[in-house]
Amino acid sequence: MEHVPPPAEELALLDRELARLDARRSQLLVRRAWLLSVLTPPVARPAAPPTPSFAAPFGPPSPVRPSAPFAAPFGPPAAPVGPRGAQNVLLTLGGLLLTIAAIAFTLVSWGHMGIGGRSAVLGVVTVAALSAPAVLLRRGLPATAESLAALASALMVLDTYALHRVVVPEADGRGFAAVAAAVLAVLWGAYGLLLDRLRLPLPLAVVSAQLPLLLWAWAAGAGATVFGWALLVTAALDCAIAAWGKGVAVRVTACVCCWATGLLGLLVALAQSVSADAASAALAPGVLLLVGALIAVSGAWRAPAGLAVAGGVVAGLCGVAAVGGVLRAGVAWGWSVPVYLLCGVVLLVAVRAPLPRPVGQGLVWASSTVTVGAVLTAAPPVGLSLMGAVSQVTRVWSGTPDGGVRGALGVESPAWSQMAAAPVVLLVVAGLLGAVYRSREWLVRVAGPVLSPGAAGRGAVGAGAVALGWAGITVLPAMLGMSYAAAVSVQLALVAGVFAVAVRGLRRMDGVGLTALACGLAGAVSAGMLSLAAEAATYAVFAVLLVVFGGAAVMLGGAAASAARTLPPTPSVQAARSVRALQIVQAVPACGAVVCGMVLARAVGASLGLAAHQAAPVMLAVPAVTVLLGARLRGLPSALPVELTGAVAGVVAVGMAVTDRPFLALVLALCGVLAAGTAVRAERRPVAGYLAMSLFVLAAWLRLSASGVSAPEAYTLPVTMPALAVGALRRRRDPEASSWTAYGAGLAATLVPSLFTAWADPHWVRPLLLGVAALVITLSGARLRLQALLLLGGAVLALDALHELAPYVVQVVGALPRWLPPALAGVLLLVVGATYEQRLRDARRLKDALGRMR
C-alpha cells in the first residue's frame, strides 16, 4: 500500500502548520495585552490607536499595538509607579537624611561651636520646621508637610538633649527624661490637634506618654509595686485614648500601648501575689490586679467583639489571681491550686451580671482557662499511676511489693504527699462538668445571655466529666497509700464501672461512651500490669478483665442487634451508620477479652512449671476459641478483628516453641488444624486454605528435620503420591481448579525437603535425581500449562543447578581479572537499557502467559 502523501512532504506540511499556529498565538497574546491595558486605565498608559497587523492564517486581521511587538504571556504589563508614590518615597528619604544630619550636627559636628551655639541653631531650625507644615497644608502639599513634621519631631527630641546639656547639666538624667517625655507628649498632642491633617504627631504623643511614669519610678528607685502602678496608670490613660481618641491611627497606637503596659503591670502584680507568704503581703498586689481587671472591663465595654472577649479574659484572670492570691497566702503550692480553681468557678457567677455579651464570654473563657490550668497541674500523678505499673513487667511474680501500691509504682511517699491535691482537683472539676452535663436546660437558661451551648458542647462536657472522674479515682489509691490488694481491687472496680458507662453511652454513640471506652482500656492495661507482681493477683485481675471485656462485647452486640431490628425497611444514612459504628466498636472489648485469654493461658503454663516451648500448645487454646467465635460472629464487622487477635496468639505460640523443633512442628501442625477449621467457611477459605496447607507442610518438614532423617523422600513420597492423585481427581471434576490447590502441597511436600537435603549432601546422586525430577515436573508444567508444576519445578531445578555449579563458578570468578565482572555487569546493564522496551514487553508476555495457566 502506498503512503499518500509521502512522509517527507507530510512532515513539511506539519512544520508549516505549527509555524502558523505559533504566529497566531503571538498575535492573540498581543491583542490580549492591549485589551487589558484598555480595561485598567488607572494602572496603564493610554494605548495608541490599534492598527491592522499582518494577515492571520486562520481568520481576518486583528488590530494590534505596533509599540508592543512581544506581549507578556502571563498577564498585563507592570503598572508604572505613580507620581504620588514617587513623591512619598523621595520625601521620606529626604526627611531621613535631614534627621541623620541633625543628629550628627548635635552630637559630633561643628566641634568649634559650643553646645549652646548648636542648641540655638537647632532651636531656630526646629521652629522653622514646626511652622512650615501649616503653610504647606494651606498650599495643598500634605506629603511635604508630613515629612517636615516628622523632621520637626526628631529635632524636638534633640532640643531636649541640648537643653539638658546647656541649662540643667546637673539634673538627674532619668528624672529629666521623665519630664521631657511628658512635655513632648503634651506638645506633640497640642501640635497634632492644631494641625489635625497631620497623621504623625498624635501617635507620637501617645508613644511618648508611655515613658514619664516609668522613668519617674526608675529615678525615684521605687519598688516593684510602684512600677506596677505606673504601668497600670499608663495603661488606663491608653485605654481612655483608645476609647475616645481622635483618628484610627491614634486609637490603634493607644490600644497596642495599653496591652503592652497593662500586661507588664499585671505580670509584676501576679509575681508579687504568687510569692506572697501572708495574706497581708498579698493585699497590695491583689488591689493592683483588681484595678487591672477594672481597666480591662472598662476598655472592653467599647471595644470590638474580639478585643472585648480578650478584655473579659484578662479581667477574669486578674480577678481570680487577686482573690486567690489572698486566700492561698501561706499555703503550700500544691493546695493553692484548689483555691484558684474555686475562685475560677465562682467567677462564672459574673455571667448573670449586666455586661456586654463579648465581655461575659471572656469571663467564661477565663474561668475555663483557670480550670484547664488546674487540671494540668493534676496530670503528673495520673501519669505516674498509669505508667508506674509498667515497672512490674520486669518483676513478674516477684511477690507482693513492699510499701503497698506506692512501692509497686516505684515512687516514694514524699513525692505523693506533694501531689495530694491532685485527686481533689480532678474530682471537683469532674463533678462540676457532670452537673452541667446532667442539667443542660438549666445551663441554657443561666448562660443564655452569654453562651449558646449545643449538643456537641454538651457531649464534650460529658466526655470531660468521665475522663476527669476516672483520672481522679485512678490516682486515689496511691495518694491514700493503700495496700497492694486494695489498690488492685479499686482499679478493677473502676474499670468495670467505666465500661458500664461506656456501654450505656455507646448505645447512643456519643462522646461520653467513646471517652469511657478509652479510659476503660487504659485502666485495664494499668491494672493488668500492676497485677503481674503476684501470681494470685494476675489470675484474679485478668479473669475479671476477661469477664468485663466479654460482657461489654456481648452487651454492645445485643444493642447493635436491637438497633438493627428496629431500623425501617429504608433506613436513613445516619441510622445505618450508627448501627454499623456500634458493630465496629464491639470489636474493641472483644479483642481485649482475647488478649486477657492469652495472658491467662501463658500464666497457666508458667504455674504448671512448663518451659516456654512446652507451654506453647496451651496458648493455642486461645485461637481455638476465636475460630469458634469467628464462626458464631459470621457476617459481623467484629468477627475479623477477633480472629486476627486469635491469630496473634498463634504467632506467639510459634515464637514460644521456636527453641525446640519437635514442639515447633507440633505447634505448626495444630495451627494448621485451626486454619483448616477456619477454611471450612467459604469467606475465609481463600486465605485460610493456603495457610493450612503451608503450615502442614512446614510442620512435616520440621518433624523430619528434628528426627534426623537423612532420606526425607522415604517419608514424603508416600504423602506426595496420594496427594497428587487426589489433585488429579479434583482437576478432572473441576477443570477450572487451580493447579496450586490440586498439586502444590503434594509437590512441595517432597521437593523442598529434598532440596534442603541435597544442598547439604556432598555426593552427586541425590542432586542428580532431584534435578531430573524437577526437570520432568517443569516440562510437564509447560506442556500441560500448569502454573504450580512449572514454577515449583523450575525453582527447584534452578537452585539445584546453582548448588552443583557453584564451586566451578567460584573457581572461574577467581581466575578472572578483577575488572572483568564489573565490566560484564556494565555491558549487561547497557544491553538491558538499550532494549528496555523490548524486555518490558517480554516481561509482560511472560506474566500474561503465567496468568493464563491454571
Side-chain angles (χ1 to χ4, degrees):
M1 181 175 178
E2 203 170 325
H3 194 285
V4 180
E9 184 177 348
E10 185 179 0
L11 181 61
L13 289 174
L14 290 177
D15 290 337
R16 285 197 293 273
E17 287 294 327
L18 290 173
R20 295 175 65 189
L21 288 173
D22 289 338
R24 180 60 175 168
R25 183 176 183 276
S26 299
Q27 182 183 9
L28 292 175
L29 288 174
V30 171
R31 179 64 177 176
R32 178 179 180 275
W34 179 82
L35 291 174
L36 287 172
S37 66
V38 172
L39 293 175
T40 56
V43 295
R45 296 192 185 97
T51 59
S53 70
F54 53 88
F58 298 104
S62 300
V64 298
R65 287 175 54 192
S67 60
F70 300 101
F74 298 105
V81 180
R84 183 69 65 184
Q87 180 189 23
N88 290 335
V89 171
L90 294 175
L91 291 173
T92 302
L93 291 175
L96 287 174
L97 291 175
L98 288 175
T99 303
I100 294 171
I103 294 173
F105 165 74
T106 306
L107 298 178
V108 297
S109 296
W110 283 18
H112 62 279
M113 291 183 62
I115 187 65
R118 280 180 275 174
S119 301
V121 173
L122 277 177
V124 174
V125 175
T126 303
V127 172
L130 289 173
S131 305
V135 179
L136 293 173
L137 288 175
R138 285 196 298 270
R139 293 181 176 274
L141 298 173
T144 308
E146 202 75 50
S147 297
L148 287 178
L151 175 62
S153 302
L155 292 174
M156 291 174 71
V157 176
L158 295 176
D159 287 336
T160 58
Y161 169 75
L163 185 63
H164 177 259
R165 292 291 302 274
V166 173
V167 180
V168 283
E170 70 283 354
D172 179 56
R174 292 171 293 183
F176 182 83
V179 176
V183 172
L184 286 176
V186 173
L187 292 178
W188 280 332
Y191 186 69
L193 292 174
L194 182 63
L195 301 177
D196 55 356
R197 293 175 61 186
L198 294 176
R199 293 175 293 180
L200 185 61
L202 288 179
L204 277 178
V206 173
V207 174
S208 180
Q210 311 305 307
L211 302 176
L213 292 178
L214 284 177
L215 293 174
W216 168 79
W218 186 23
T225 303
V226 178
F227 269 98
W229 279 109
L231 288 167
L232 283 185
V233 171
T234 305
L237 176 63
D238 294 332
C239 183
I241 297 173
W244 293 286
K246 182 179 180 181
V248 177
V250 175
R251 293 186 177 184
V252 170
T253 305
C255 184
V256 173
C257 294
C258 177
W259 280 101
T261 55
L263 290 178
L264 284 176
L266 293 176
L267 288 176
V268 171
L270 180 63
Q272 287 188 301
S273 177
V274 171
S275 60
D277 54 358
S280 57
L283 283 176
V287 173
L288 195 58
L289 288 168
L290 289 177
V291 171
L294 181 62
I295 294 172
V297 170
S298 60
W301 206 285
R302 294 172 55 88
L307 288 176
V309 172
V313 172
V314 172
L317 293 177
C318 289
V320 171
V323 179
V326 175
L327 295 178
R328 62 145 296 272
V331 180
W333 175 250
W335 286 102
S336 300
V337 177
V339 175
Y340 285 109
L341 175 62
L342 179 62
C343 296
V345 173
V346 174
L347 180 64
L348 292 175
V349 177
V351 171
R352 303 296 296 175
L355 296 172
R357 180 182 174 89
V359 178
Q361 291 175 344
L363 294 178
V364 173
W365 278 109
S367 176
S368 303
T369 303
V370 174
T371 304
V372 171
V375 170
L376 290 178
T377 60
V382 179
L384 289 176
S385 299
L386 294 176
M387 300 305 297
V390 179
S391 61
Q392 297 302 320
V393 176
T394 59
R395 301 194 300 269
V396 176
W397 290 6
S398 58
T400 303
D402 298 331
V405 67
R406 294 181 178 179
L409 297 177
V411 181
E412 299 297 332
S413 298
W416 290 110
S417 61
Q418 294 173 6
M419 300 180 290
V424 176
V425 172
L426 293 172
L427 294 176
V428 167
V429 177
L432 293 174
L433 293 178
V436 172
Y437 178 76
R438 298 290 297 177
S439 306
R440 181 175 181 272
E441 294 77 11
W442 173 83
L443 176 65
V444 173
R445 184 172 62 255
V446 172
V450 176
L451 299 175
S452 300
R458 182 173 183 262
V461 169
V466 170
L468 295 178
W470 166 79
I473 299 175
T474 296
V475 80
L476 265 181
M479 288 297 176
L480 298 177
M482 291 184 178
S483 64
Y484 175 76
V488 172
S489 301
V490 170
Q491 295 286 357
L492 278 180
L494 178 60
V495 170
V498 171
F499 265 99
V501 176
V503 170
R504 183 176 180 182
L506 287 172
R507 290 175 178 175
R508 301 188 298 271
M509 287 308 296
D510 58 1
V512 174
L514 294 175
T515 304
L517 180 62
C519 293
L521 292 175
V525 172
S526 177
M529 289 185 177
L530 193 63
S531 70
L532 296 178
E535 182 177 358
T538 301
Y539 280 107
V541 168
F542 279 97
V544 172
L545 290 178
L546 178 61
V547 173
V548 170
F549 279 121
V554 170
M555 286 187 285
L556 288 175
S562 301
R565 285 194 297 268
T566 58
L567 288 177
T570 56
S572 63
V573 176
Q574 184 64 30
R577 285 180 178 175
S578 298
V579 174
R580 184 71 174 176
L582 194 59
Q583 293 173 343
I584 293 174
V585 172
Q586 180 195 8
V588 177
C591 294
V594 176
V595 174
C596 292
M598 293 170 58
V599 176
L600 289 174
R602 184 65 186 94
V604 168
S607 297
L608 295 176
L610 301 176
H613 64 275
Q614 294 173 334
V618 180
M619 180 65 69
L620 292 180
V622 177
V625 174
T626 58
V627 169
L628 299 176
L629 281 176
R632 177 69 177 82
L633 300 174
R634 179 180 298 183
L636 295 178
S638 57
L640 182 60
V642 169
E643 292 180 80
L644 290 177
T645 310
V648 171
V651 174
V652 172
V654 172
M656 293 168 60
V658 76
T659 57
D660 188 275
R661 284 187 292 177
F663 267 96
L664 181 58
L666 174 62
V667 170
L668 289 174
L670 293 175
C671 290
V673 172
L674 295 176
T678 305
V680 172
R681 295 153 50 197
E683 70 274 11
R684 300 285 186 259
R685 188 171 301 150
V687 175
Y690 287 110
L691 180 61
M693 177 188 69
S694 303
L695 290 173
F696 282 135
V697 173
L698 186 58
W701 295 342
L702 283 172
R703 183 65 261 182
L704 293 174
S705 174
S707 300
V709 174
S710 59
E713 294 83 2
Y715 299 91
T716 58
L717 282 175
V719 176
T720 296
M721 300 310 293
L724 294 178
V726 173
L729 290 176
R730 170 70 187 277
R731 288 275 300 169
R732 180 176 296 179
R733 292 183 179 181
D734 183 13
E736 298 298 323
S738 171
S739 62
W740 289 99
T741 304
Y743 307 118
L747 290 174
T750 295
L751 289 178
V752 176
S754 297
L755 179 63
F756 280 104
T757 306
W759 270 59
D761 194 343
H763 305 289
W764 59 272
V765 178
R766 185 188 303 276
L768 177 61
L769 294 177
L770 178 62
V772 172
L775 178 61
V776 172
I777 293 172
T778 303
L779 295 176
S780 300
R783 175 68 179 82
L784 301 175
R785 304 182 64 80
L786 296 177
Q787 190 180 96
L789 276 67
L790 179 63
L791 294 181
L792 276 175
V796 172
L797 179 61
L799 292 174
D800 186 62
L802 177 63
H803 173 263
E804 294 304 309
L805 295 176
Y808 305 102
V809 173
V810 171
Q811 292 178 5
V812 171
V813 171
L816 292 175
R818 293 191 176 182
W819 57 265
L820 189 57
L824 292 176
V827 171
L828 178 62
L829 292 176
L830 288 176
V831 172
V832 173
T835 59
Y836 177 74
E837 295 294 335
Q838 181 63 35
R839 301 288 79 77
L840 200 59
R841 287 193 293 269
D842 294 341
R844 290 197 187 101
R845 283 197 295 268
L846 178 60
K847 177 184 174 183
D848 295 339
L850 288 175
R852 287 192 295 270
M853 291 183 178
R854 298 304 302 169

